[in-house]
Amino acid sequence: MTAYPAWTPASRPGIIPLHPLSFGTILGRSFAALRQNPRVLLGFALVVQTAAYLLVIVAAGTIGILAFTRLDTVAAGSEDFDQIMAGSIALTILAGFALGLAAGAIGVIVQGVVVTEVAHAAVAEKLTLRALWQQLKPSVWRLIGYTFLLALVVATAIAIVGGAVIAVGIAVPPLGIGLGLVVLLAAVPLTLWLSTKLLLAPAAIILERATIRGAIARSWMLIRGRFWPALGIIVVLGLIFGTIAQVVSIPFALLSSGLTTIIAPTGSPDVAALTATIVTLLLSQAVTLLIQAVAVVVQSTATSIIYIDCRMRREGLDLDLLAYVEKRDAGATGLGDPYLQGIGRAFARPMPVPPGYAPAPSPYAYDPRHAASVAGPGAPAGAARPPYPYPAQQPYPAQQPYPAQQPYPAQQPYPAQQPYPAQQP
């Protein structure tokens, strides 16, 4: 009895095809994760963005009020007043920087959740927020540490360069102004270059469980050869959401003037203007938070897809993902994480042979470089045995000519046909 293999359905497609991706595919599929799991990604991002916004507003307002209310206890213009004023300003600036770091740490958790979701969505898996958090939790402190380190380096560089420009400006004002313009112009390409080179570090921390130093090195290496497509995607997405934010702000500017007469048509102009400003500000901030949440999800999705594409090109990650999908759909259990396989592996993707060209030589052809493995015993180092000679082929015997064919006998002519008898009238 012949045993036939059991039929298995075709593998479910993920949000990206499992092969190296083009610029347009990465840009278009950056919105795919948001459509696949909007409740988890957009809902979580919106809650986190709102919480970070409220934290910064409330904490900064409280610190500012507590710092500047001490000025009421001293006389204006006195030495103590100037010292308290300078201390209050410095405290407010430091508090704003610390709150910015805290908001960034909260925001980077959203990026981590999105990266984990995209990694599973690429192999057609959809997890809950609890499951995503369980996978992200071992790497979350390294992710926050990387964010703090990056912010500290940037703040230090700004302080050093800014202090140098200010010092030059105090000594020679025209030179300081020119130097400041040069620094501002140079900061734009430098920021784009560094942000692109370090784009894949969070994904390496999350998916490869790398250290901060190892993640920076991995991002620097993986993005090599794909720098310009990655930079283009970052710039295009930034322009898209920047344009959306500008377009959305126009209706609120018109709404602010319209609400002045709608909310308080008979009230005083001051009260109506204040009410319209407050309502418009609240609506504008709500829409801004929604746009920011969508932007964080889409940009983090693009970063994850760029990471997967770079590994597919350099390390053959698509082969590991395809093998994982086939085994999973065949019913295998206990499969390892495919993103932990082949890290740093050198992979050369075979190039397709164009029509009309000879195929690549067979790997089984004789190669003198590999013949050392079959060298005879006692042969000197590096000696190689030549291929065994085949005996000369014996010529075939001469073929005997066929006998001459006898001619056919001449054909006898048919007898002449008798005429039909004449028909009687």
Side-chain angles (χ1 to χ4, degrees), residues 290-355:
L290 179 61
I291 294 175
Q292 288 178 353
V294 174
V296 168
V297 173
V298 173
Q299 291 172 345
S300 301
T301 302
T303 301
S304 307
I305 297 177
I306 292 172
Y307 166 81
I308 296 174
D309 174 67
C310 291
R311 284 198 61 185
M312 287 194 294
R313 293 175 182 273
R314 298 185 65 93
E315 301 173 354
L317 178 63
D318 52 335
L319 304 180
D320 297 329
L321 296 179
L322 287 170
Y324 173 84
V325 170
E326 291 176 357
K327 293 177 182 179
R328 180 201 63 195
D329 293 347
T333 57
L335 297 176
D337 189 350
Y339 293 97
L340 295 178
Q341 301 177 9
I343 297 177
R345 173 177 58 194
F347 176 77
R349 189 173 301 276
M351 299 297 294
V353 179

Side-chain angles (χ1 to χ4, degrees), residues 71-82:
L71 296 174
D72 298 334
T73 60
V74 294
S78 62
E79 184 178 354
D80 294 337
F81 183 89
D82 295 336

